[in-house]
Amino acid sequence: MNRQRILLTAVSAVVLLAAMPAAGAKSHHDENSQPHELMQTGQYEPTWESLMRHQTPEWFRDAKFGIWAHWGPQCVEGSGDWMARSLYMEGSREYQYHVENYGHPSEVGFKDILPLFKAERWNPDALVERYKRCGAKYFFVLGNHHDNYDLWDSKYQPWNSKNIGPKRDVLAEWAAAARKAGLPLGISFHADHAWTWYEPSQRYDLKGDKAGVYYDGNLTKDDGKGKWWEGMDPQMLYQQQHPMSQGSWDNRRIHSQWDWSHGACPPSQAFVNNFFDRTLDAINRYAPDLIYFDDTVLPFYPLNDSGLRIVTHLYNKNPRAVVFGKILSDEQRQALTWDVERGAPNEIISEPWQTCNCIGGWHYNTSIYERNGYKTAAQVVRQLVDIVSKNGNLLLNIPLRADGTYDEKEALFLDDLEAWMTQNGESIFGTRPWVVFGEGPVAEKDIKLNAQGFNDGQFADMDYRDIRFNQTKKYLYATAMSWPEDGRLVIKSLAKGNPHFKKSISSVYLLGHGRLKARQTTEGLTVQLPEPCNQIAPVIRIAK
């Protein structure tokens, strides 16, 4: 029977794929299946041509740095990001941990983890204020992840934080804390991929005592009689009443299908409308200034125009808003703000852009904590300085435990970050790129992006020879990526006779210390630094 079901699933997926629009096909919307929420009308229409008139606002370009609380029920087991998918992958680390500590996924699935997400020590006001002291100029929260659980009192998703788990409207409390701190609010929405992301929950073990017993991704409302979730429909969470995508049993196949190509099972119109309704519901309630989509371009692109309509709704409600998209064409970057995940281009980008990254995993991961795997403040500062020199911003996730707190190692990271930003923040905020972004061995490398990013490891070897530049109307800033052991810093781009900064330089100012003598030769601008006045990187300020 199992083999018959797999064959039927594969055949059905091929049939659905044949009906799927080709990449680049014109967007469409099924007028016979309308969502409940109405799109805000105004100066923008849901077309690329119209949305290209929207400009990334100056407040975002000035902000440079935001902190993200990528936090939800997937933090409960401490198994890291995508645990709600991986627990259904027989033999995986997450599967083994889940079976040993919670039960077999045929009996205890992710739906049963949701009540254990209590947020019992969560203090949003204190957290946001702490992040602000570290230099954050905007604050991001998770609206929903691929696990399809809404972190607010959702009108269209009963599997939400008000009904199950904390019994609190998490977004409402985060939004209030951001307003209190005077920080623009961002919300990230990832649930549009639950359709394919949860497909392993349709599986079963291939070996052992539970071989052939289906996991709980196939359950329906009728199966809940006498259970804690009686009256709830698991399919509103898992969304698996559809054929599996082509090659779904290959755990990595989903990455090639992220843009709904290569045999991904197309979503139903009802699922698309539900995501549209939920997203507009959150926008209308919490009035975010920024929206992040974890998609190739936009949700469900290029299958339909629901993503374009969400962007149009937000821009018409809030003209100063920012919407992020990944893997964008040059034209699409005129309508959206380009996001690069865990990496950066190695050149100045003319349009404002953002890197999203984290000090550990996206969701809290106990093994990263135990092996001291967090990024250091020095690593993050170097990345921030590099990104800012190229006209970008950094959005940094500090993973929280399920109770709503960060651990003591993360606390030390925040202390170190705050110390450097307090001393050197003027070289970051409100700045713009110089004529060249930098110099040094890494600056000279031909570093390519990998899909939506994923190249930050190639920037890990920056040292004092790698110097990054940015400027205000009054000052030029040059930041070395570490302190030279002998204190001698040579900035080659400021050599006598250089074409970019023709003013003669005889003195410079070291942030956190004071004025220093400098000598400008054909080799470069040479500065003898004092003993380090911070633990990360020296910043030279030069009057223009």
Side-chain angles (χ1 to χ4, degrees):
M1 179 173 177
N2 293 343
R3 293 175 62 186
Q4 291 176 340
R5 182 171 186 254
I6 295 170
L7 179 61
L8 178 61
T9 295
V11 171
S12 300
V14 171
V15 171
L16 282 171
L17 180 65
M20 180 177 172
K26 186 176 181 180
S27 299
H28 70 278
H29 176 57
D30 184 354
E31 297 296 338
N32 296 317
S33 181
Q34 294 290 336
H36 297 88
E37 295 290 320
L38 297 177
M39 187 180 71
Q40 178 75 42
T41 59
Q43 64 174 310
Y44 298 105
E45 298 291 335
T47 66
W48 288 112
E49 293 75 15
S50 177
L51 296 177
M52 283 169 63
R53 299 199 308 267
H54 182 270
Q55 299 295 311
T56 302
E58 288 298 297
W59 76 259
F60 176 77
R61 299 192 68 190
D62 290 339
K64 301 303 181 189
F65 180 58
I67 287 184
W68 192 359
H70 192 287
W71 176 62
Q74 288 185 83
C75 299
V76 167
E77 297 191 21
S79 297
D81 203 36
W82 284 35
M83 61 78 56
R85 171 179 164 88
S86 299
L87 73 86
Y88 296 106
M89 296 177 178
E90 182 182 12
S92 71
R93 176 180 59 83
E94 297 86 350
Y95 169 95
Q96 297 286 3
Y97 185 85
H98 181 81
V99 169
E100 292 172 6
N101 293 275
Y102 298 91
H104 190 266
S106 64
E107 301 164 350
V108 182
F110 186 66
K111 70 180 187 315
D112 302 291
I113 299 302
L114 299 179
L116 305 180
F117 176 51
K118 298 293 189 182
E120 60 269 29
R121 298 174 61 197
W122 175 51
N123 185 335
D125 286 347
L127 287 168
V128 174
E129 187 58 39
R130 182 75 177 94
Y131 300 150
K132 184 178 180 179
R133 295 202 310 271
C134 291
K137 300 300 184 184
Y138 54 101
F139 174 64
F140 247 95
V141 300
L142 193 69
N144 49 41
H145 199 246
H146 312 313
D147 60 18
N148 212 26
Y149 170 91
D150 283 353
L151 285 148
W152 75 93
D153 186 14
S154 181
K155 290 163 61 177
Y156 302 103
Q157 171 57 295
W159 298 85
N160 67 62
S161 64
K162 185 68 172 178
N163 290 341
I164 304 167
K167 303 295 181 71
R168 297 164 71 172
D169 188 326
V170 171
L171 277 194
E173 295 188 46
W174 276 133
R179 284 194 299 271
K180 182 178 179 181
L183 296 182
L185 174 71
I187 306 176
S188 66
F189 299 98
H190 311 242
D192 51 308
H193 276 291
W195 184 266
T196 53
W197 192 80
Y198 263 133
E199 285 185 7
S201 70
Q202 294 191 46
R203 300 180 191 173
Y204 45 83
D205 284 359
L206 297 176
K207 58 186 179 181
D209 295 341
K210 297 286 188 178
V213 179
Y214 285 104
Y215 302 150
D216 72 331
N218 301 290
L219 295 179
T220 65
K221 185 176 181 179
D222 293 340
D223 296 308
K225 189 174 182 180
K227 306 290 180 60
W228 73 263
W229 47 274
E230 183 172 359
M232 302 277 288
D233 184 359
Q235 289 310 312
M236 284 295 293
L237 182 68
Y238 296 137
Q239 293 289 343
Q240 292 306 300
Q241 293 296 290
H242 64 79
M244 283 183 169
S245 301
Q246 288 183 9
S248 183
W249 281 71
D250 177 354
N251 293 333
R252 296 196 58 79
R253 185 70 178 272
I254 191 173
H255 299 292
S256 67
Q257 298 172 336
W258 205 250
D259 61 354
W260 302 98
S261 66
H262 295 91
C265 179
S268 69
Q269 189 63 52
F271 179 72
V272 172
N273 288 348
N274 180 258
F275 179 82
F276 178 88
D277 284 335
R278 289 155 66 186
T279 306
L280 262 63
D281 176 41
I283 291 172
N284 294 340
R285 290 193 196 197
Y286 309 112
D289 296 291
L290 312 99
I291 293 292
Y292 172 103
F293 291 120
D294 193 3
D295 294 283
T296 302
V297 185
L298 284 172
F300 307 114
Y301 184 83
L303 300 186
N304 57 63
D305 67 354
S306 58
L308 287 171
R309 290 185 290 117
I310 293 171
V311 176
T312 302
H313 178 79
L314 180 61
Y315 284 175
N316 281 332
K317 286 184 70 70
N318 183 358
R320 71 193 294 271
V322 181
V323 178
F324 299 101
K326 299 179 180 180
I327 313 182
L328 303 178
S329 68
D330 290 341
E331 287 189 348
Q332 290 163 347
R333 290 188 201 178
Q334 300 297 313
L336 307 173
T337 300
W338 181 39
D339 182 86
V340 179
E341 183 174 351
R342 289 184 180 270
N346 209 24
E347 60 182 339
I348 296 174
I349 303 300
S350 59
E351 298 294 327
W353 59 281
Q354 175 182 265
T355 286
C356 62
N357 212 325
C358 46
I359 67 169
W362 288 115
H363 281 104
Y364 192 84
N365 191 322
T366 304
S367 67
I368 293 177
Y369 165 82
E370 291 174 343
R371 68 172 187 270
N372 294 318
Y374 292 136
K375 288 183 172 68
T376 65
Q379 290 172 320
V380 168
V381 164
R382 286 195 287 267
Q383 182 178 39
L384 172 64
V385 172
D386 178 71
I387 289 166
V388 169
S389 75
K390 300 167 183 174
N391 203 29
N393 287 28
L394 173 62
L395 175 62
L396 181 69
N397 174 48
I398 310 295
L400 296 174
R401 295 175 289 201
D403 66 1
T405 63
Y406 49 75
D407 61 52
E408 78 282 0
K409 296 177 183 179
E410 293 173 304
L412 290 174
F413 170 92
L414 291 171
D415 289 343
D416 292 342
L417 179 62
E418 180 181 354
W420 192 89
M421 294 289 270
T422 299
Q423 182 184 93
N424 300 285
E426 71 166 82
S427 68
I428 300 294
F429 308 118
T431 63
R432 296 293 183 269
W434 193 41
V435 290
V436 296
F437 74 85
E439 64 181 51
V442 175
E444 296 166 4
K445 286 184 178 180
D446 183 18
I447 298 176
K448 304 295 186 184
L449 295 174
N450 179 18
Q452 63 262 45
F454 299 111
N455 67 355
D456 60 348
Q458 297 194 55
F459 295 93
D461 295 331
M462 292 187 291
D463 59 26
Y464 71 92
R465 296 169 298 171
D466 270 289
I467 298 170
R468 297 295 179 265
F469 303 102
N470 52 348
Q471 63 180 334
T472 61
K473 291 181 179 179
K474 190 175 180 180
Y475 297 116
L476 172 67
Y477 294 94
T479 303
M481 294 304 188
S482 66
W483 292 81
E485 289 187 8
D486 61 1
R488 184 174 181 267
L489 183 66
V490 180
I491 306 174
K492 296 179 181 179
S493 299
L494 295 177
K496 183 178 291 186
N498 80 84
H500 307 307
F501 196 92
K502 298 180 179 179
K503 180 180 176 181
S504 178
I505 305 171
S506 59
S507 67
V508 299
Y509 189 92
L510 174 65
L511 298 190
H513 175 80
R515 193 173 300 278
L516 300 175
K517 290 183 178 180
R519 187 165 59 92
Q520 195 174 22
T521 68
T522 55
E523 178 189 8
L525 179 68
T526 301
V527 178
Q528 186 64 40
L529 298 173
E531 288 296 315
C533 55
N534 66 64
Q535 299 301 311
I536 296 177
V539 181
I540 298 295
R541 187 179 74 192
I542 304 166
K544 293 169 68 174

